[in-house]
Amino acid sequence: MIRPHRWAFALLPLLLVGPLLSSPPEESVTALLPPPAEWAAEYDRVWQNCGQFAVAVPRHQFIDLRFYEVHASPFHVRVPYYGLQAFDGMWEGDRIYLASPIVRSTLRHEMLHAQIGRAGHGLLFTRCLPAGEADGS
């Protein structure tokens, strides 16, 4: 008799829910194409000061990222099990959403998420980003 593994049941809610976050409403978003030139240098600084301590190679290169300005501060996104939540910035794959007006510390915070390819806020965020940046403020 084949018995299902317990871990398979833990994955079931993720399969039923789909993406973990919904994107901000399209009507409130403007693509920043191209992103401001100085952001590439900022991305490199975040990598040198933070990202390289978590992963050997960035999960996303700056050139591959797409930046969007959301015309709300904060903006709201539906999060499974938590409902509508407020954000100043959000990383989702190769996309970074930033509330308007764009705050440098939020930009750096979301760049770090893109570099390490991980959600959540562990010690890396509190240790390597300057004070006030660990919470995305």
Side-chain angles (χ1 to χ4, degrees), residues 70-110:
V70 182
H71 303 286
S73 186
F75 57 89
H76 294 84
V77 174
R78 188 162 307 286
V79 179
Y81 306 110
Y82 295 97
L84 213 54
Q85 299 291 309
F87 291 86
D88 290 322
M90 184 177 85
W91 159 75
E92 184 180 54
D94 64 349
R95 294 169 288 185
I96 292 179
Y97 297 94
L98 301 162
S100 180
I102 295 172
V103 177
R104 181 173 170 262
S105 59
T106 303
L107 172 66
R108 292 172 48 83
H109 179 98
E110 300 308 329

